[in-house]
Amino acid sequence: MAQIKIRLIEIAHARSGDKGDAANVGVIARRPEYYPILMKELTTDRVKRHFEGICLGEVDRYELPNLLALNFILHNTLGGGGTVSLKNDAQGKTLSSAMLRMELVIEEEALSPKP
Amino acid sequence: MKQFIRIASGQGFWGDLVDAPYQQVTGGPVDYLVMDYLAEVTMSILQKQKRKNPSLGYARDLVTQLERILPILAEKGIKVITNGGGVNPIACRDAILAVAAAHGIRNLKVGVVMGDDILDRIDQLRERGAELRNMESGDTLATVRDRLLSANVYFGAAPIVEALRQGADIVITGRTTDTGLTLAPMIHEFGWSLSDWNKMAAGTVAGHILECGAQSTGGNFLGDWKSVPDMARIGFPIAEAHPDGTVYITKHESYGGLVSVATVSEQLLYEIGDPAMYITPDCIADFTSIHLAQEGENRVRVSGITGKPATDSYKVSMSYLDGFSAFGTLTYAWPEALEKARAADAILRARLDALGLEFQEIRTEFVGLNSCHGPLAPIPDEINELVLRIGVRSASYEAVERFGREIAPLILTGPPSVTGFAGGRPKPSEVVAYWPALLTKSLVEAEVIVEGIG
């Protein structure tokens, strides 16, 4: 089976915000058939590695199959939280698009709808 | 009982689009206008304003926005619910009544929800057993007690429902949950029991979709942002709520924006933790139970929501003074813009070090390169220009002030092709830190006052 490399942004969209010093990143599959790819690829380990140097704490993952979505909590990420942080993006508003930079290697047929 | 009610969102935060409330009440039929003005940091800003002037401490925009729409509200029978009362809801009400009187408005009743501000009662509450530990760090309140700037309980929908029951046309609250503003009219109109957890959760989810204004109608939408029509005239969301808890999210046809499963989904995921445990004073809503369906153009059905009993505590939002900070920026141009900016950063740090100043943190970011995505952002081969942005934080005002005086000299005593120092010396500003805590519900009570002009 042919494998291809894609960026997460091709199969998902996202929104992020702050929860104290933690950031949340919600990731939504653009089509129902992409949701299993998110479920398989976006492990907490993978997301933690992706945000190396940004997320200094643990990563929690929650599943929302009805919304074709996963929600991640990135602990210790915002430099002390919205009002204290010296970061330009003190509330983690752009971490949604940072998540979508992730590169995935997947089976080509996973992208096409099943007959 | 009405077949359904239409609840329109008019503001998503203090500073949101000025004309949105007017557009919501004139663009088509609505029954309620809800306006959210309060973010966590807003409370401490309002508290500071009130300390300087006891007649302030509320969202002044609210008064000017209401002034414009009061005649329309009266004519159409639209009620307003807002947390714009901030830390001084009585002063806010008086300002609104004064404006109404000046415009010859009659038969206006304004309800005020009080009791959320516990700053003056902190020690009394601690004596009665309230620990008010930091929910995140577990630290005891004693560590910041003498630096507290504000302390407010998040009330839910119940006090607003009481104000509506007493005939209020406008309900002003202090720190109420954003979701409670939208849930309250549903409880009031449909006679929902406060312990019908699925209904409480349904109204709470609708409130979460409305609370950030146009963020659910195509604003800040990452899905396919270029497909959002006429963003310059973006319409704010409207929740068409039905007695069984089903809600349709829509907007006025005459305005721009987009209501789709994708835009609503993004808003549902905004600032949430465990989606099965979305905790409010009214209930615990289970976001994993939500069903979304595109019912038509700019019309999304939200249904199937389940809830669980509310907890026995309120969340308390406190803020305290935590030193000072300042930011300075300089722009470096090609060639070697990044190398120059890095050199300038090193020179500045060496000078601060030589002065023996103590900082809790010095943070350097290169705007245009990596200030948003940090180490995830690849460095391009050639950079046309770059903004060096340095922030410092310290318990010492003097250290932060001196940092501000060390920035400008870099222009003549550092690397070349530098500009962008127009704003003057960076001045220290107070750092307000956030202290979330829990408080047993039985220790506080909301007070509802409804008064008006005849």
Side-chain angles (χ1 to χ4, degrees):
Chain A
M1 272 187 290
Q3 288 195 319
I4 52 163
K5 190 192 268 189
I6 59 163
R7 273 196 193 268
L8 184 56
I9 196 166
E10 294 170 50
I11 60 166
H13 57 115
R15 181 166 292 174
S16 57
D18 64 317
K19 296 193 72 63
D21 192 28
N24 101 295
V25 183
V27 181
I28 306 159
R30 290 180 188 267
R31 302 166 67 101
E33 56 267 32
Y34 299 160
Y35 189 57
I37 305 175
L38 303 189
M39 290 279 283
K40 176 164 174 264
E41 300 287 333
L42 298 185
T43 59
T44 53
D45 284 350
R46 185 76 200 278
V47 171
K48 168 79 180 161
R49 264 185 286 134
H50 180 67
F51 283 105
E52 197 177 338
I54 295 181
C55 172
L56 308 179
E58 298 296 304
V59 172
D60 298 325
R61 173 179 127 153
Y62 299 100
E63 297 166 11
L64 298 94
N66 284 359
L67 301 179
L68 305 173
L70 294 172
N71 186 43
F72 296 91
I73 307 294
L74 279 47
H75 294 276
N76 192 1
T77 292
L78 299 179
T83 59
V84 175
S85 176
L86 298 178
K87 290 189 164 192
N88 187 21
D89 187 10
Q91 291 169 306
K93 300 269 187 186
T94 66
L95 294 178
S96 50
S97 59
M99 172 75 96
L100 299 178
R101 302 179 83 114
M102 189 188 286
E103 287 183 335
L104 307 174
V105 178
I106 59 169
E107 306 294 333
E108 193 170 3
E109 70 168 16
L111 288 184
S112 43
K114 295 203 170 58
Chain B
M1 192 202 298
K2 287 177 187 157
Q3 234 184 332
F4 61 82
I5 54 169
R6 285 164 65 89
I7 305 166
S9 155
Q11 293 280 278
F13 72 108
W14 189 18
D16 208 349
L17 277 183
V18 173
D19 289 342
Y22 176 81
Q23 292 169 353
Q24 285 292 56
V25 299
T26 56
V30 301
D31 302 290
Y32 286 84
L33 179 68
V34 296
M35 294 196 277
D36 177 19
Y37 287 90
L38 301 183
E40 280 146 6
V41 60
T42 315
M43 299 305 284
S44 59
I45 295 168
L46 291 169
Q47 198 67 257
K48 273 191 220 169
Q49 293 183 354
K50 189 185 172 190
R51 277 210 309 260
K52 283 182 190 152
N53 181 344
S55 69
L56 295 180
Y58 57 88
R60 275 172 288 171
D61 291 16
L62 169 61
V63 179
T64 49
Q65 280 162 334
L66 279 182
E67 181 172 20
R68 187 175 177 201
I69 63 173
L70 272 172
I72 302 159
L73 300 176
E75 182 199 326
K76 297 187 173 178
I78 300 168
K79 290 174 187 275
V80 173
I81 302 172
T82 176
N83 58 16
V87 297
N88 204 351
I90 291 286
C92 181
R93 176 203 59 191
D94 292 347
I96 290 164
L97 287 175
V99 161
H103 286 261
I105 305 278
R106 295 186 173 278
N107 304 319
L108 182 73
K109 281 178 132 181
V110 182
V112 179
V113 176
M114 305 275 294
D116 63 297
D117 189 344
I118 56 166
L119 187 60
D120 296 336
R121 281 181 280 154
I122 286 284
D123 297 316
Q124 191 191 328
L125 287 165
R126 291 170 84 198
E127 279 163 27
R128 291 174 64 195
E131 282 203 76
L132 298 167
R133 276 176 189 274
N134 188 309
M135 276 169 75
E136 282 161 14
S137 65
D139 292 344
T140 59
L141 189 67
T143 55
V144 297
R145 171 66 192 95
D146 55 347
R147 292 182 283 154
L148 278 186
L149 294 175
S150 68
N152 295 80
V153 176
Y154 275 90
F155 285 135
I160 302 171
V161 174
E162 175 57 24
L164 292 171
R165 197 192 60 75
Q166 292 183 34
D169 302 298
I170 296 173
V171 183
I172 310 285
T173 78
R175 185 66 278 189
T176 298
T177 57
D178 308 345
T179 54
L181 304 177
T182 297
L183 169 61
M186 300 185 198
I187 297 169
H188 175 65
E189 295 278 352
F190 304 140
W192 287 348
S193 156
L194 293 174
S195 55
D196 187 337
W197 305 115
N198 292 346
K199 300 267 181 19
M200 294 302 107
T204 297
V205 168
H208 183 77
I209 295 169
L210 256 52
E211 73 183 54
C212 295
Q215 221 175 223
S216 59
T217 52
N220 191 25
F221 174 53
L222 205 153
D224 187 5
W225 69 272
K226 284 181 277 191
S227 72
V228 177
D230 202 2
M231 214 183 289
R233 299 176 67 254
I234 195 164
F236 275 47
I238 295 168
E240 182 190 294
H242 290 252
D244 70 351
T246 303
V247 173
Y248 297 83
I249 303 300
T250 179
K251 67 177 188 66
H252 290 318
E253 273 177 36
S254 50
Y255 286 99
L258 176 69
V259 182
S260 69
V261 168
T263 63
V264 172
S265 293
E266 274 195 29
Q267 175 53 26
L268 283 171
L269 289 161
Y270 182 64
E271 285 185 351
I272 64 163
D274 178 350
M277 296 281 289
Y278 185 85
I279 301 172
T280 75
D282 303 304
C283 65
I284 297 172
D286 182 354
F287 278 36
T288 67
S289 65
I290 300 170
H291 284 268
L292 299 179
Q294 194 80 41
E295 286 284 314
E297 199 183 336
N298 293 313
R299 190 171 166 83
V300 169
R301 188 179 68 221
V302 187
S303 61
I305 297 152
T306 59
K308 285 173 270 202
T311 70
D312 62 2
S313 346
Y314 286 120
K315 190 173 172 184
V316 182
S317 156
M318 291 187 272
S319 65
Y320 64 97
L321 200 57
D322 193 20
F324 303 88
S325 68
F327 298 92
T329 57
L330 288 173
T331 302
Y332 288 89
W334 183 93
E336 297 167 333
L338 178 58
E339 289 83 344
K340 290 170 189 164
R342 280 188 175 144
D345 178 47
I347 293 164
L348 178 65
R349 284 174 183 256
R351 288 178 184 166
L352 294 176
D353 200 40
L355 287 166
L357 302 175
E358 284 187 19
F359 297 100
Q360 287 162 323
E361 187 184 359
I362 303 177
R363 184 175 179 87
T364 305
E365 290 180 335
F366 301 103
V367 180
L369 186 75
N370 63 6
S371 79
C372 289
H373 290 182
L376 277 63
I379 294 177
D381 292 337
E382 221 175 22
I383 298 164
N384 288 316
E385 63 209 21
L386 201 58
V387 176
L388 166 69
R389 181 182 189 269
I390 306 180
V392 298
R393 196 154 56 83
S394 174
S396 156
Y397 179 92
E398 289 71 25
V400 175
E401 200 271 337
R402 183 61 198 255
F403 157 80
R405 286 193 283 149
E406 291 296 320
I407 294 276
L410 279 171
I411 301 169
L412 304 189
T413 64
S417 39
V418 57
T419 184
F421 190 77
R425 233 173 233 168
K427 292 191 176 54
S429 53
E430 290 179 337
V431 174
V432 174
Y434 178 57
W435 186 280
L438 293 175
L439 180 66
T440 307
K441 280 180 175 171
S442 59
L443 288 175
V444 282
E445 207 168 333
E447 186 189 351
V448 177
I449 306 162
V450 180
E451 283 177 13
I453 48 175

